[in-house]
Amino acid sequence: MGCTMGEGLSGLSTLSAYDLRQRVDASQQRMADDLKKANDDNAQLRRSLLDLSNQIEALRDEVAGMRGQNEKLARDLADTQRTQKDLTQGVDERLRKFEPGKVTVDGKEFVADPAEKQEFEAALATLRKGDFAGAQTSFVAFMKRYPQSGYRSSSLFWLGNAQYALRDYTNAVANFRALVVAEPAHLRAPEALLSIANCQLELKDAKSARKSLEDLVKTYPQSEAASVAKAQLANLK
């Protein structure tokens, strides 16, 4: 009976060791499998992270490219706007050359065409150069071309001066008088009356000259021309 029990215990020990071994092997296999799976998962994660990193880098490149395109578009737009502004200003300047504008001559403000203004100033420049015959021609042509011009009274005055210089006293008187009659309040009216008197003196018409001087002193007593007229009247006595 003792032998039988010993043999039984020996068999039980052998079975337990075998079972334990199996369990250990199984456990090791599971650990190996888990480790392999973990390694595989880790490798997959690394690949996923690498792919994500590549995608992020690609997006950065795309964003940088879009930013560069936007900056170029912004520069192109700014250049286009500057060009358009320059073109608009150029057109406006060209249009202004043909549009009537306000001018002030001899204290009188009125509207004149650019060509009208240019022609009057050219005639006046001719007079100031001492080309009295040329100035006479220019002022006569100007008044024919612009009969209603705001420059008309000033043109009559300077035309009269050109004719006085040419010793054409009769026509000078007519133009000076036309100024005084048309615009008695004109800045040049007192000078025109004084010039009439001077022309009449040149024509040896002292009586008419005296009358013109007296009218000047009476009508424009505060003018510089009136002071000159008073001195001339004193010399005529």
Side-chain angles (χ1 to χ4, degrees), residues 116-136:
E116 177 184 0
K117 178 176 181 290
Q118 183 177 3
E119 190 168 339
F120 172 81
E121 291 177 347
L124 189 58
T126 301
L127 176 68
R128 287 171 175 165
K129 287 191 299 184
D131 183 1
F132 303 117
Q136 176 179 239

Side-chain angles (χ1 to χ4, degrees), residues 68-199:
Q69 291 177 356
N70 289 338
E71 291 175 353
K72 184 178 184 302
L73 287 173
R75 289 194 299 271
D76 291 344
L77 178 59
D79 291 341
T80 300
Q81 289 174 336
R82 281 193 297 270
T83 301
Q84 184 177 7
K85 182 179 179 181
D86 293 341
L87 289 174
T88 301
Q89 289 178 341
V91 171
D92 290 343
E93 289 175 0
R94 286 193 291 272
L95 287 176
R96 279 195 292 270
K97 292 180 180 179
F98 299 98
E99 291 178 351
K102 287 185 179 181
V103 295
T104 301
V105 177
D106 293 332
K108 178 181 177 181
E109 184 179 79
F110 53 92
V111 175
D113 291 331
E116 177 184 0
K117 178 176 181 290
Q118 183 177 3
E119 190 168 339
F120 172 81
E121 291 177 347
L124 189 58
T126 301
L127 176 68
R128 287 171 175 165
K129 287 191 299 184
D131 183 1
F132 303 117
Q136 176 179 239
T137 300
S138 296
F139 280 116
V140 170
F142 175 83
M143 287 189 288
K144 285 182 179 178
R145 185 173 289 108
Y146 304 102
Q148 304 302 320
S149 174
Y151 289 106
R152 181 173 178 78
S153 294
S154 295
S155 296
L156 286 168
F157 178 78
W158 294 115
L159 174 59
N161 275 275
Q163 292 168 332
Y164 182 88
L166 294 170
R167 301 179 187 277
D168 184 2
Y169 303 120
T170 300
N171 283 321
V173 168
N175 286 308
F176 285 132
R177 197 179 302 282
L179 161 59
V180 175
V181 172
E183 287 193 68
H186 194 274
L187 183 67
R188 298 289 184 178
E191 294 179 62
L193 266 178
L194 181 61
S195 296
I196 288 173
N198 289 332
C199 288

Side-chain angles (χ1 to χ4, degrees), residues 46-80:
R46 285 198 299 271
R47 285 194 296 270
S48 298
L49 289 175
L50 181 60
D51 290 341
L52 181 59
S53 177
N54 291 335
Q55 290 176 12
I56 292 174
E57 190 63 30
L59 285 173
R60 285 176 178 170
D61 292 341
E62 185 177 352
V63 169
M66 292 178 64
R67 185 181 294 114
Q69 291 177 356
N70 289 338
E71 291 175 353
K72 184 178 184 302
L73 287 173
R75 289 194 299 271
D76 291 344
L77 178 59
D79 291 341
T80 300

Side-chain angles (χ1 to χ4, degrees), residues 8 14 45 49 109 119 121 201 219 231-232:
T14 302
L45 180 60
L49 289 175
E109 184 179 79
E119 190 168 339
E121 291 177 347
L201 288 172
T219 308
Q232 288 185 334

